[in-house]
């Protein structure tokens, strides 16, 4: 029997959404011999490629270089001013994105044996979806991977002023604004706020929480705020925007309630970075019998199944984390669970070791417990740390700001969390996280040979700090006696 016509017959998996979760599911299932339909209504690659991780990190990279040139004297060079054009920086970002785009393209996935449909899909029953043109696709399994979109807070006047979100930030700015208001002090607001500040834009970040990056360690947030002040980025924290109006110059005016009274801030442009909401509308989930929430998305069990057992959801639309790496992880579970039906054991999600990385400069990364978590949960922990100011690689790089902090169970060499603030924090964190995942303690990290001088030694030096806590007064007295006996 020859291959079935495109769209005809029954698919092993019908995947809705071609972001990271959908692409990994489609490629993995097709690679194992499954028949797959992949449906995408917008751009292949989803949020990560088009208006998330890829373009933002390209801009972060360029802005870091610009700042290094500004700080040339810190590297033994004569003072200099970076020469750049805002437009060219954004063009370069788009070129980097275009270089990666073929990995997520229709052509590549068609070549992998996936039937790609550039259309909008809607369930008409638990076993069938209908596309824009009336085509109906039948599947043994369905995977909802529709992602999220920016959440716009219902602030009076927000609909009357022009604003950017991450979905418009990278492709609609052809010239540099003189000033930018950023609403939100999370990863997107901090990363893009710092980038724009380093590109010569006057930036004000406004957030309703008391500090930037509130999900990170408080010391990490303090380092970021200190750097932002040095960069000239104004941070207005612990306040509430009461309204937006057009300014006299055609920009945006924000009336902000602060602890000291109402203040007015103006910017030529406004970036709203206040969170995400799941894409669950107009999918026909009611017809499929799938439970969902406009705020929380599609709930799933540990095997990534919805309440309808042959319909899965993964990636941002399913949560609980909205990271590219967790979307990839969840999709791999779905591929296995589609391939091996019961009674084979289900692959189940384990979120005990999930890295968080924010690509400000210096980077901020963490996993597991932070000190406030341990305190809130009544978990006794020991804290071990090493400051980058005492790390040889950091000194040679003229980047002494930051630290590594590792939490262990009180009195035990069991890692339960870590925070890293450093130029390569995301890389340093993984050694500690893999050790925790495989129940390797700090004593083992301390005894492992690390290349010198490397940023990875920051993890080893923190482990050395743990080792020093084991040298009790009694043990030291015994060692001293042994030394005296051997002189």
């Amino acid at each position: 029997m020859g291959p079935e016509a495109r769209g005809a017959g029954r698919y092993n998996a019908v995947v809705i959404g071609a972001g990271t979760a959908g692409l990994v599911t489609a490629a993995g299932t097709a690679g194992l011999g499954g028949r797959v339909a992949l449906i995408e209504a917008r751009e292949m690659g989803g949020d990560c490629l088009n208006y998330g991780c890829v373009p933002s990190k390209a801009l972060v990279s360029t802005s870091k270089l610009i700042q290094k040139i500004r700080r040339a004297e810190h590297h033994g060079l004569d003072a200099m001013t970076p020469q750049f054009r805002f437009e060219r920086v954004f063009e370069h970002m788009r070129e980097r994105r275009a270089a990666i785009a073929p990995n997520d393209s229709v052509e590549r996935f068609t070549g992998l044996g996936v039937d790609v449909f550039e259309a909008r899909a809607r369930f008409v029953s638990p076993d069938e979806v209908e596309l824009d043109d009336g085509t109906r696709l039948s599947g043994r399994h369905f995977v909802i991977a529709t992602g999220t979109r920016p959440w716009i807070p219902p602030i009076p006047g927000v609909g009357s002023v022009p604003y950017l979100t991450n979905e418009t930030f990278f492709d609609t700015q052809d010239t540099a604004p003189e000033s930018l208001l950023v609403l939100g002090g999370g990863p997107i607001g901090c990363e893009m706020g710092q980038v724009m500040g380093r590109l010569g834009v006057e930036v004000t970040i406004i957030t309703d929480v008391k500090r930037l990056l509130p999900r990170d360690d408080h010391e990490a947030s303090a380092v970021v705020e200190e750097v932002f002040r040095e960069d000239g980025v104004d941070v207005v924290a612990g306040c509430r925007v009461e309204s937006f109006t057009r300014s006299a110059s055609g920009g945006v005016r924000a009336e902000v309630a602060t602890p000291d009274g109402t203040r007015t801030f103006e910017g030529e442009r406004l970036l709203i970075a206040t969170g995400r909401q799941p894409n669950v509308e107009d999918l026909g989930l009611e017809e499929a019998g799938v439970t969902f929430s406009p705020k929380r998305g599609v709930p799933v069990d540990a095997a990534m199944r919805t309440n309808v057992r042959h319909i899965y959801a993964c990636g941002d639309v399913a949560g609980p984390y909205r990271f590219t790496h967790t979307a990839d992880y969840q999709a791999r579970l779905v591929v296995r669970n589609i391939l091996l039906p019961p009674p084979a054991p289900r692959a189940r999600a384990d979120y005990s070791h999930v890295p968080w990385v924010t690509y400000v400069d210096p980077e901020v990364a963490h996993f597991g417990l932070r000190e406030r978590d341990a305190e809130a949960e009544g978990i006794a922990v020991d804290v071990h740390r090493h400051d980058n100011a005492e790390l040889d690689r950091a000194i040679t790089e003229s980047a002494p700001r930051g630290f590594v902090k590792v939490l262990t169970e009180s009195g035990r060499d069991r890692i339960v969390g870590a925070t890293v603030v450093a130029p390569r924090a995301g890389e340093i964190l993984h050694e500690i996280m893999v050790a925790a995942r495989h129940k390797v303690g700090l004593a083992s990290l301390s005894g492992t040979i690390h290349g010198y001088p490397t940023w990875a030694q920051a993890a080893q030096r923190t482990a050395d700090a743990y080792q020093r806590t084991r040298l009790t007064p009694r043990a030291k007295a015994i060692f001293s006696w042994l030394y005296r006996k051997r002189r």
Side-chain angles (χ1 to χ4, degrees):
M1 181 181 296
E4 294 179 87
R6 171 183 156 90
R10 196 181 199 198
Y11 288 92
N12 293 105
V14 175
V15 183
I16 307 173
T20 298
L23 294 175
V24 173
T25 302
T29 302
L32 293 171
R35 185 170 185 242
V36 183
L38 176 62
I39 308 165
E40 174 55 59
R42 300 178 66 188
E43 301 97 340
M44 294 286 288
D47 184 89
C48 180
L49 172 66
N50 296 291
Y51 27 80
C53 312
V54 171
S56 65
K57 298 328 165 256
L59 289 179
V60 166
S61 176
T62 299
S63 71
K64 284 182 180 179
L65 179 57
I66 289 171
Q67 194 68 2
K68 273 199 169 185
I69 295 171
R70 285 198 181 102
R71 293 168 53 87
E73 291 174 289
H74 293 264
H75 297 272
L77 305 178
D78 292 338
M80 60 184 74
T81 300
Q83 301 297 312
F84 66 91
R85 290 184 295 109
F86 183 90
E87 298 83 356
R88 179 61 190 131
V89 171
F90 271 67
E91 286 173 6
H92 174 78
M93 170 269 293
R94 295 175 193 126
E95 290 167 1
R96 300 305 88 207
R97 182 175 60 187
I100 295 173
N103 297 330
D104 298 347
S105 66
V106 172
E107 292 76 15
R108 175 170 181 259
F109 276 78
T110 299
L112 294 174
V114 176
D115 286 346
V116 181
F117 297 86
E118 296 180 85
R120 193 169 298 279
R122 179 181 178 85
F123 282 97
V124 292
S125 77
D127 302 300
E128 201 172 35
V129 296
E130 184 175 82
L131 308 185
D132 296 316
D133 63 1
T135 300
R136 292 198 173 193
L137 303 178
S138 174
R140 174 67 183 85
H141 301 280
F142 292 83
V143 182
I144 303 165
T146 50
T148 58
R149 64 185 184 276
W151 177 71
I152 307 302
I155 298 171
V158 70
S160 65
V161 298
Y163 60 80
L164 300 164
T165 69
N166 74 298
E167 292 189 353
T168 56
F169 183 87
F170 303 103
D171 293 296
T172 62
Q173 298 195 86
D174 296 324
T175 59
E178 289 188 4
S179 56
L180 175 73
L181 299 181
V182 178
L183 183 61
I188 295 174
C190 286
E191 289 179 10
M192 293 304 96
Q194 187 179 42
V195 162
M196 293 292 276
R198 290 180 169 184
L199 291 178
V201 178
E202 182 182 311
V203 176
T204 302
I205 298 177
I206 304 171
T207 177
D208 60 358
V209 295
K210 294 182 178 179
R211 60 185 175 90
L212 298 178
L213 303 177
R215 296 188 178 184
D216 281 283
D217 179 270
H218 67 282
E219 286 188 87
S221 296
V223 171
V224 172
E225 291 186 19
E226 181 182 8
V227 171
F228 279 17
R229 283 195 298 272
E230 293 179 6
D231 283 357
V233 173
D234 189 18
V235 177
V236 184
C239 61
R240 183 183 72 257
V241 177
E242 295 186 322
S243 67
F244 286 114
T245 55
R246 286 268 194 170
S247 65
S249 61
V252 179
R253 176 187 292 113
E255 296 294 326
V256 181
T258 74
D260 300 321
T262 301
R263 296 178 60 189
T264 300
F265 296 90
E266 291 191 6
E268 185 177 334
R269 293 177 192 162
L270 166 66
L271 170 63
I272 296 182
T274 49
R276 313 282 298 174
Q277 65 184 88
N279 293 321
V280 292
E281 298 83 4
D282 301 322
L283 289 176
L285 296 180
E286 301 89 344
E287 284 77 1
V290 173
T291 299
F292 70 96
S293 162
K295 291 185 178 180
R296 298 186 178 277
V298 181
V300 293
D301 63 14
M304 308 313 299
R305 296 177 299 185
T306 70
N307 61 302
V308 180
R309 291 314 196 201
H310 69 283
I311 301 178
Y312 295 78
C314 56
D316 288 6
V317 74
Y321 300 100
R322 290 172 175 171
F323 303 140
T324 295
H325 44 278
T326 50
D328 180 292
Y329 169 70
Q330 292 173 342
R332 293 169 188 262
L333 301 179
V334 171
V335 170
R336 175 176 169 179
N337 290 335
I338 287 175
L339 176 65
L340 300 174
R346 291 284 178 181
R348 304 177 70 83
D350 176 4
Y351 301 116
S352 56
H353 299 90
V354 175
W356 298 56
V357 187
T358 300
Y359 297 89
V360 287
D361 181 21
E363 292 176 4
V364 175
H366 82 259
F367 81 91
L369 293 179
R370 288 139 294 177
E371 289 176 87
R372 65 173 187 182
D373 301 323
E375 182 179 353
E377 297 175 26
I379 300 173
V381 296
D382 296 324
V383 180
H384 316 281
R385 67 175 291 150
H386 184 79
D387 291 316
N388 291 343
E390 300 174 5
L391 183 72
D392 290 0
R393 181 58 183 271
I395 294 170
T396 62
E397 295 277 348
S398 298
R401 184 180 272 122
F403 59 88
V404 176
K405 181 188 294 187
V406 179
L407 277 60
T408 58
E409 284 187 0
S410 181
R412 296 183 61 195
D413 188 10
R414 180 175 179 270
I415 301 169
V416 295
T419 291
V420 183
V421 181
R424 292 288 183 268
E427 319 300 332
I428 299 168
L429 181 79
H430 282 82
E431 176 181 357
I432 305 168
M433 189 178 69
V434 169
R437 173 72 175 79
H438 296 283
K439 297 180 172 55
V440 174
L442 288 176
S444 294
L445 288 187
S446 176
T448 300
I449 299 173
H450 286 65
Y452 174 89
T454 60
W455 283 105
Q457 279 191 301
Q460 184 187 35
R461 295 293 180 258
T462 309
D464 292 344
Y466 161 76
Q467 289 286 66
R468 288 191 290 273
T469 66
R470 302 174 71 186
L471 186 61
T472 63
R474 177 178 174 79
K476 188 173 182 178
I478 293 172
F479 294 152
S480 296
W481 179 81
L482 285 172
Y483 278 124
R484 287 196 302 272
K485 293 287 289 182
R486 295 185 178 186
R487 281 205 294 264

